Amino acid sequence: MSINELNNIALVGMDWSNKLREIDVDMHLWNKICQWHGDEEKALKWVQLQIKLISNRHPERTGLSQIISSIAFVEMANPDHRVQHSVQFPVTSTHEEHAQSNFGAGAAGT
């Protein structure tokens, strides 16, 4: 990571063909991405995944940077997108019982 004179941070990841690709992300957006994902390491892994997935369609650095920034905005604007770390089941039932009760409720509704 490096910061340039335009207050952008340069992030590097492997593209779809396993070549190193660099993108620019606004420093304020980078801080928001880090907050959204919980820490810098998770945020960097997310950016690197986006580079891998999208670089085939956007070979230019600026286009790739803009697309990844747009995806970050959309993800952060959607409150239901955040990954749930765990689902808590009542202690009185097992996971299988909970799944079976959900199956029965779905079948009864049809």
Side-chain angles (χ1 to χ4, degrees):
M1 289 189 268
S2 65
I3 301 173
N4 65 23
E5 67 277 355
L6 298 175
N7 203 28
N8 287 340
I9 186 166
L11 303 170
V12 178
M14 301 294 272
D15 71 2
W16 65 277
S17 64
N18 292 326
K19 294 179 192 170
L20 283 177
R21 290 286 299 273
E22 194 170 274
I23 65 164
D24 296 317
V25 176
D26 179 77
M27 193 64 189
H28 297 294
L29 178 58
W30 172 245
N31 289 333
K32 292 292 184 184
I33 293 171
C34 290
Q35 282 179 326
W36 179 256
H37 288 280
D39 62 33
E40 277 190 15
E41 184 180 334
K42 290 177 186 174
L44 182 59
K45 286 180 181 181
W46 180 85
V47 168
Q48 289 171 337
L49 175 63
Q50 301 309 311
I51 291 171
K52 186 122 184 129
L53 294 173
I54 300 168
S55 60
N56 190 24
R57 293 199 172 124
H58 297 281
E60 303 88 28
R61 179 178 176 158
T62 56
L64 185 58
S65 298
Q66 290 171 351
I67 293 296
I68 292 174
S69 294
S70 297
I71 291 169
F73 278 119
V74 169
E75 284 194 351
M76 289 185 287
N78 183 359
D80 295 331
H81 182 74
R82 193 178 295 265
V83 175
Q84 295 179 358
H85 293 287
S86 65
V87 176
Q88 298 294 325
F89 294 109
V91 176
T92 58
S93 67
T94 65
H95 182 65
E96 291 80 19
E97 290 170 345
H98 185 74
Q100 186 64 30
S101 68
N102 282 344
F103 177 75
T110 58

